[in-house]
């Protein structure tokens, strides 16, 4: 019975584990960006988007975002902010959390 319980817990952890990609956006004056859209794509090593996983609208007064992905791998994030240049980020997730350093956006005007 104990073996069955341990196996069940192991399988549950295997199928429910997730990974996170985190970061923080600031503008050209180092103020947090409180509203933006992030598209998350599965990617290849050449940084080409292969499949759209999610499109999230982020409202966070500190400019922070957290994206959940289900497995290790390569991801491309495309960030769109009104009045700022679009921004693309590439990462290969290998640990439970990958954190980008602070991302500085440039205004389009």
């Amino acid at each position: 019975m104990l073996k069955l319980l341990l196996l069940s817990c192991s399988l549950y952890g295997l199928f429910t584990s997730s990974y996170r990609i985190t970061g923080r956006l600031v503008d050209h004056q180092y103020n947090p960006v409180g509203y933006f859209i992030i598209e998350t794509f599965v990617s290849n090593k050449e940084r080409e988007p292969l499949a759209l996983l999610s499109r999230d609208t982020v409202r966070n007064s500190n400019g922070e975002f957290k994206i959940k992905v289900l497995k290790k791998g390569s991801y491309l994030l495309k960030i769109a902010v009104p009045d700022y240049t679009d921004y693309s980020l590439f990462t290969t997730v290998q640990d439970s959390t990958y954190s980008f350093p602070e991302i500085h956006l440039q205004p389009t005007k």
Side-chain angles (χ1 to χ4, degrees):
M1 183 66 177
L2 181 59
K3 287 182 182 181
L4 183 60
L5 179 61
L6 290 174
L7 178 63
S8 297
C9 290
S10 296
L11 289 175
Y12 178 78
L14 178 67
F15 291 111
T16 60
S17 64
S18 64
Y19 299 85
R20 287 187 308 198
I21 302 170
T22 64
R24 182 171 186 257
L25 299 181
V26 295
D27 65 15
H28 61 290
Q29 296 176 333
Y30 299 95
N31 297 313
V33 175
Y35 172 82
F36 48 96
I37 296 170
I38 297 182
E39 293 179 328
T40 306
F41 295 87
V42 173
S43 182
N44 57 18
K45 297 291 183 183
E46 288 75 37
R47 301 178 182 204
E48 299 168 330
L50 300 177
L52 178 65
L53 291 178
S54 65
R55 185 174 196 271
D56 299 295
T57 300
V58 179
R59 289 181 174 85
N60 182 291
S61 60
N62 291 323
E64 299 168 338
F65 65 87
K66 293 177 186 173
I67 304 294
K68 285 187 180 181
V69 292
L70 294 178
K71 61 182 181 176
K72 296 178 183 181
S74 298
Y75 296 93
L76 180 68
L77 303 175
K78 293 187 177 186
I79 300 172
V81 182
D83 300 323
Y84 288 87
T85 304
D86 289 348
Y87 204 87
S88 294
L89 303 163
F90 174 80
T91 187
T92 299
V93 175
Q94 295 180 354
D95 296 321
S96 61
T97 301
Y98 178 87
S99 294
F100 281 103
E102 199 167 67
I103 301 159
H104 300 266
L105 301 176
Q106 296 301 316
T108 55
K109 297 179 183 181

